[in-house]
Amino acid sequence: MKPVQKIQFVKDLIHERVQLSPLGPIVVRLQDVPHFSISDQMLILKKLEQEGFVADVELLKRQTGAAASMWVSSTYESQMKTDAVTDTSDLITLKLGTNTLLINKQTGMIRLNDVESILNPKSQEFDVISKLATAKNHQITYTSILGESLSKTTKRNLTFVIRNLKEALSILPAKKAKNKDIIKNIKGLGYKLIT
């Protein structure tokens, strides 16, 4: 499993627990994910805390022989608020032919048909999908994404952002895809959402 997939897996796990218990602190027992090493778990949790995805993270190692279990306790306040009261101004729902794209600007949740992922609302990936969903004709230029720092390097970095976004929406990898590609590159111009 790639690092991006591991992080997404833990985000999904936390999001799932929030749905089950939206009113109190969330306790996620990461020993439920035995294929993650302790160091992987710690790195993932630190990354999620830096992104602001979780708050008040407590890591407790409990030694039982050679095994160690880890727990995460998070208030995850922004998610609890949006679960309690759904503010429709934070939701973008888009019908693209037979596809339905849903974006929650508050929580970073994106869903294409039945595939749901959580992104950092401040990430480039989330910025790109939000701009595509709200732009005229669902089309954006390189300049509207990258601003004045338009170069071969920034364009190449943008292709990685688009790939991450497609992985989150299960468009890539192609062999395991659950959704058809809805993000089209318009050569020399930018990107467009297609039906």
Side-chain angles (χ1 to χ4, degrees), residues 18-32:
V18 171
Q19 302 297 329
L20 295 172
S21 176
L23 301 175
I26 306 143
V27 177
V28 178
R29 195 174 66 175
L30 289 178
Q31 72 177 19
D32 297 340

Side-chain angles (χ1 to χ4, degrees), residues 76-118:
Y76 197 37
E77 290 174 18
S78 64
Q79 179 63 47
M80 289 190 291
K81 286 176 189 167
T82 55
D83 279 348
V85 180
T86 303
D87 181 357
T88 54
S89 65
D90 287 335
L91 294 175
I92 301 169
T93 306
L94 197 58
K95 195 82 171 138
L96 300 163
T98 58
N99 298 305
T100 303
L101 178 66
L102 182 69
I103 301 169
N104 187 318
K105 294 187 285 185
Q106 182 75 26
T107 65
M109 182 277 295
I110 58 171
R111 184 170 65 214
L112 180 60
N113 302 319
D114 295 328
V115 176
E116 186 175 306
S117 293
I118 306 287

Side-chain angles (χ1 to χ4, degrees), residues 8 11 107-110 117-121 123 125-126 165 168:
Q8 187 61 49
K11 283 182 177 182
T107 65
M109 182 277 295
I110 58 171
S117 293
I118 306 287
L119 300 174
N120 180 348
S123 69
E125 288 83 357
F126 193 78
L165 190 52

